[in-house]
Amino acid sequence: MTGVVESLKAELGGEVVTTGADIPERNLKDWSGLPGQRPLALVRPRTTAEVATAMRLCHAAGVAVVPQGGLTGLVGASIAGPAEVALSLERMTGVEEIDAATATMTVKSGTPLEVIQNAAADADMFFALDLGARGSCAIGGNVSTNAGGNRVIRYGMTRDMVLGLEAVLPDGTVITSLNKLIKNNAGYDLKHLFIGSEGTLGIVTRVVLRLYPRPGSIAAAFCGLADYEAVVRLLKAARAGLGATLSAFEVMWHEFYDCMTTKATGVRAPLTGRHRLYVLMEAHGATEADGERLESFLGTMLEQGVIEDAAVAHNTAQIKAFWAIRDAVAEYTTMIGPMVGFDLGLVVNRMDDYVQECRKRVAARWPTAIGHYYGHIGDGNIHVNVHVPGADPQPKDEVNDLVYGLVREMGGTVSAEHGIGVTKRKYLPYTRSPEELALMAVIKRAVDPKNILNPGKVIEA
Ligand code: LAC
Ligand code: ZN
């Protein structure tokens, strides 16, 4: 193994390859909360050719490589063990091209999401992916995890925003597939091997992203509702009444809203009264008239008794203030203490059945437990956070078994957007059939027969 470090250093140089105490702390862990680990070496290539060299050498030596982007993943997929090499894309940043006519942007995979959003805006265009970690996460990680976020209902997941990519295979082969065409049915669409496979099949080095026109208007509404049936009615009506402009439909059960609008967060409650459920809606329109449409739509919803109350925001500051309630999640652990978090998927009309049954089961097992339920309900994606006061550490395995067990009973998915990594591997069979798992293993073995690229993540080869 030391042999591989020496050959990496010999071919790539000491500036690219670091070891031991020279490896920065930030490369030891991600946002999953799992303990950090010091890898055998950290490789920080500057070019695709250097990524390919690193892979060729590690492949020859049979040493495992763990790709790293912005290290904001929540499932431990980018943590490298002591016998593994961490390969960070952090030096491969920058926009290579913006093609206004085809509405695409070609970027290096280490580029932070927020840099891409700003570059699109500077070109009077729009990159639609958005999520809380925008300042830290890298687009290569977004692609590798098929990140979801806040606007999926309108623009889809990362998969829907990627037209082409370049990836390095486990043996160092470079697949340059920088397609810009929306329509391209020439054989297998290979980019999908790398999108959402969490760095187990290839290392993404460049991406062709799909851009949209900058929205001509953005409007948001914060609504209070009496029950979940009303939420479903509101969603259906919003899809019809706002059409394609509906860009977010976030739901919060009252425990979450109450907690996020306490004095501790500094977040102002958008509504004066209290409700059982809250919905944050956003609409991206082409013109100002689209923004006004939201207001008249809400008027109708009030008249029909679908919503109990609503506040509307038209300017960026007001819209930000609405989203602050969702973004305050970052302060969670300081406010409440450690939580066990989930990103579950369920069909929209079963969501509240899930919440009610989960509340019941959690309370029966831990009577003082705090449970929060909220998320991208328009996409069938709910976040659940459970905190058991006084438990140190939190009874993670038991909470996992309870929460995922109920998802299995109700036919949902154990991960709607964060991925499997290592933390959810045990629960993947709750969601995927033996036949599906076997096919995944066949693909993994075909692309990575030596099992050296991010081994042990997602599935066992
Ligand atoms: C969210 C991230 C954590 O929606 O998925 O807050
Ligand atoms: Zn989310």
Side-chain angles (χ1 to χ4, degrees), residues 74 131-132 149-150 250 326-327 329 343 374-376 381 383 417-418:
L74 296 166
L131 43 103
N150 299 334
E250 296 280 323
R326 278 291 270 112
D327 289 344
V329 169
D343 79 300
Y374 62 96
H376 325 288
N381 175 196
H383 291 301
E417 58 178 356
H418 299 165

Side-chain angles (χ1 to χ4, degrees), residues 358-372:
C358 193
R359 269 188 194 134
K360 225 190 278 168
R361 291 188 192 185
V362 167
R365 177 62 189 84
W366 301 281
T368 60
I370 296 170
H372 285 165

Side-chain angles (χ1 to χ4, degrees), residues 123-145:
D124 200 28
M125 302 190 79
F126 180 66
F127 182 57
L129 180 65
D130 190 43
L131 43 103
R134 64 186 73 78
S136 314
C137 64
I139 190 68
N142 299 145
V143 171
S144 299
T145 55

Side-chain angles (χ1 to χ4, degrees), residues 101-113:
T102 43
T104 62
M105 184 193 292
T106 306
V107 295
K108 296 194 177 103
S109 65
T111 312
L113 172 58

